Amino acid sequence: MTMETTTLLIIGGGPGGYVAAIRAGQLGIKTVLVEGGQLGGTCLNVGCIPSKALIHAAEEFHKATHYAGEGGAESALGIRTAAPSIDITRTVAWKEGIVKRLTGGVGALLKKNGVQVVRGWARILDGKTVEVTGAEGGGTGAANDAGGQTTRIRCEHLLLATGSEAVELPFLPFGGNVVSATEALSPETLPGHLVVVGAGYIGLELGTAYRKLGARVTVVEAAGRVLPAYDDELARPVAARLRALGVDLHLESSVLGLSEDGKSVRMKNGGGEEVAIDADRVLVAVGRRPRTSGFGLESLMLDMNGRAVRIDNQCRTSMRNVWAIGDLTGEPMLAHRAMAQGEMVAEIIAGKRRHFMPAAIPAVCFTDPEVVVVGLTPQDAAKQGLDCISASFPYAANGRAMTIEGTEGFVRVVARKDNHLIVGWQAVGSAVAELSTAFVQSIELGAQLEDIGGTIHAHPTLGEAVQEAALRALGHALHI
Ligand code: FAD
């Protein structure tokens, strides 16, 4: 057994852990990062990046299919093309190439900043000691392969960044044709019929992609509508588009399990009837839960918040010098939140005064159309007793939206009635993900409606809908 000591020991090299390590390295803190899987964590390997790559490939294929089919003859754009085909192996290889470039980049950044990467699974012995055993394969960048032997590392600060895992349904366990997002992102073949259990953002992003790649898709959701965590006005265009694409939606329905021959999914539909739907593959996307077991975390007896590790607004746990960030600490489980927390913890350890108090954290669904929520919705504001005004500007009145055939959707602003301080933005439509930057900056900088209404926005852009929503809330939108 080898022994090492360090100032900061990070368990988990996802966006939370690797960003903390890079910042700590920049600040001259002696840092060891332990990663049992791949650098980049869920986000780069089996989450944000690969899903967006697959969504893009599916969209391109779908466009080509549309122009080749009846859509070609009727296409207002006058484009017609021959029937396309797709080699899914090459698509997956292209996606893997992006993942490799990004994870390799993370390894290089860690090396450049003097972070020691230890490859292997960490086991917590106490709040200052961790044991790492057995690494799988070679590391990236400055990796130290623990290669079967055990390394014991003592630290002054322990940062937990072990992320989350897909929730498994006991009556529909993963294996065979029942897959999680991880397997769905690397298909060897396309299924004839994919049943997606769960109409949250992960299920819908992947379900839409598979549909556009040519699979028949059925979505089963226990709630009465898709994207149940989002407000109805935002979810409605997404549901309409799913139906237009030919996705079968079974709402208020619960899955009971697989049939005996494994070829169909049994479920109870909205009317209470038990029915079976044939399925070549079943994607279970019913949520993620913090990864808190299997590595000795329990032995620390930390205060918990349900299944998540409880933290304060500096990401301190209930034990001195034990910190936690990212999905391990619960909702919102988003990569950019994990990164922001990681950067902050490194700075606090370096002696800077920091607190995690963002004015807002954007959430984006890369569905079709995309959905963005930043800050408070009108309903949230009402619940908090804030007297607010809100106004929407439809994409149908935006020139740029017309030129990209994306007139479905709107941008909505929520602001305090008394001083016009903007407290929230919501949008649904083409490319609204890219508007999230403008939304979150306006809230973080404390903008009022007049600031956004009075800013010259480039023409013709979708961003003009942002300015017009602010003007509309002030009662004088120009283009509607
Ligand atoms: P993770 O990224 O999960 O990383 C944790 C790391 O810790 C892993 O690499 C794991 O191997 C390692 N680890 C765990 N235990 C140990 C141990 N004992 N020893 C050593 N290593 C260990 N978020 C967004 O913001 N935008 C999106 O578009 C988006 N899309 C997503 C799509 C999908 C399909 C999925 C599944 C998730 C998506 N997410 C998205 C969520 C995002 O991936 C997570 O919020 C983010 O990765 C959390 O970062 P993290 O650092 O907390 O944990």
Side-chain angles (χ1 to χ4, degrees), residues 294-309:
F295 59 98
L297 181 74
E298 309 81 356
S299 67
L300 297 183
M301 310 264 282
L302 299 177
D303 284 357
M304 304 295 283
N305 200 355
R307 293 191 71 105
V309 171

Side-chain angles (χ1 to χ4, degrees), residues 11-18 34-49 51-52 118 120-123 132 161-165 181-182 185 201-202 205-206 288 291 294-295 325-328 332-339 362 364 366:
I11 306 181
Y18 86 69
V34 186
E35 172 54 62
Q38 300 298 327
L39 288 177
T42 304
C43 170
L44 295 192
N45 294 284
V46 290
C48 323
I49 295 294
S51 58
K52 273 76 236 181
V118 175
W121 295 100
R123 190 167 178 79
V132 186
T162 53
S164 61
E165 56 203 357
T182 298
L185 287 167
Y201 84 92
I202 292 178
E205 285 185 6
L206 293 178
R288 297 184 62 82
R291 198 183 285 130
F295 59 98
I325 55 174
D327 285 8
L328 177 68
M333 293 197 198
L334 294 167
H336 39 283
R337 168 176 172 263
M339 292 191 224
V364 179
F366 290 81

